[in-house]
Amino acid sequence: AEARGGGARVALRVLARPSGGVEVRVSDEGAGIAAADRARIFEPGFTTKGAGRGEGLGLHLARRLMARQGGGVFLVAPEDPARLPWAVTELCIAVPAPP
C-alpha cells in the first residue's frame, strides 16, 4: 500500500523471504535519518525528538521482541535490490516462517 501524507510518500509492503517467512517493509521519502544517528536508532533511550516527546524505546523494543521470535528489525541499506528507489528511509521487520 502506498499513500501520500504532507507531500511525502509512504509505502508498506510485504515481501516473501527466500529462506521462508516474510519481510514487512515501511518506506518513506521524508527527512531521513542523519548519518550520525543510523548506528544508534535501536539503542534504548535514543531519540531525536525533543524533551517530553518520546522515550526512545519503540525501535529498541521492536527489535528485541522480533529477535526473541527468530526475526529482526533493521534499517534497509541503500544498495538493497528490494528497496524502493524513491525511499529516503526504509525499515524492515523480518518475520520468520512458523516452525
Side-chain angles (χ1 to χ4, degrees):
E2 190 173 314
R4 278 198 176 271
R9 275 188 285 191
V10 176
L12 174 68
R13 301 177 297 144
V14 179
L15 308 173
R17 299 183 78 187
S19 60
V22 297
E23 291 183 353
V24 178
R25 292 195 176 202
V26 181
S27 310
D28 73 38
E29 63 178 355
I33 300 170
D37 294 339
R38 287 184 195 135
R40 301 189 61 210
I41 64 170
F42 295 103
E43 290 178 10
F46 178 77
T47 182
T48 58
K49 296 177 183 170
R53 294 199 56 226
E55 300 298 323
L57 294 175
L59 288 174
H60 170 72
L61 290 174
R63 182 178 253 188
R64 285 190 61 191
L65 290 170
M66 286 309 303
R68 287 183 186 167
Q69 303 303 315
V73 178
F74 58 90
L75 192 58
V76 177
E79 61 274 2
D80 185 311
R83 183 182 170 120
L84 291 174
W86 53 261
V88 175
T89 302
E90 188 164 297
L91 284 167
C92 177
I93 302 167
V95 182

